[in-house]
Amino acid sequence: SRWENNLSYPNLDTLVNLSEFLAVPLDILLKGDGNLMVNKISQDVRDKNKYKRYLLIVLGIIVLLFLWLSILGYGRATQNEWIDRFNPFLRV
């Protein structure tokens, strides 16, 4: 009913099973009243890839920040002057 009311679209596995059960070509199910469903599914896939890319960028930044803080902490714990030179949290 959600598909019929244009609230959501079924996943592709469900469409393939429905196509086999009804003996209707998948092309007719997808294109039915135009390319609305094909366009929506295609847009959803593009959005998913875009959000996945953003998530990887944010996780990369978090990992780099953690590594930077870990190196500064190690430099402070071992009194390493070379690392402490780049530590903005130490007083001169």
Side-chain angles (χ1 to χ4, degrees):
S1 75
R2 293 178 60 90
W3 182 18
E4 291 172 348
N5 293 323
N6 289 327
L7 296 175
S8 70
Y9 294 102
N11 61 25
L12 292 177
D13 296 335
T14 304
L15 282 175
V16 170
N17 290 338
L18 187 61
S19 170
E20 290 173 358
F21 182 76
L22 297 174
V24 175
L26 189 57
D27 193 38
I28 291 175
L29 279 178
L30 288 173
K31 291 184 180 176
D33 296 332
N35 287 337
L36 241 155
M37 183 186 309
V38 174
N39 293 338
K40 175 66 175 155
I41 291 172
S42 181
Q43 183 64 38
D44 288 347
V45 169
R46 282 193 296 272
D47 288 345
K48 179 182 174 186
N49 289 337
K50 180 174 62 172
Y51 293 133
K52 185 177 178 182
R53 193 175 319 131
Y54 290 152
L55 178 65
L56 288 175
I57 290 170
V58 168
L59 286 176
I61 290 170
I62 290 171
V63 166
L64 288 175
L65 181 64
F66 178 75
L67 285 174
W68 182 64
L69 291 175
S70 297
I71 290 172
L72 293 179
Y74 171 77
R76 192 68 215 134
T78 61
Q79 298 293 315
N80 188 327
E81 289 181 26
W82 189 81
I83 295 175
D84 282 347
R85 235 183 335 189
F86 302 103
N87 194 339
F89 304 114
L90 294 178
R91 295 182 188 178
V92 179

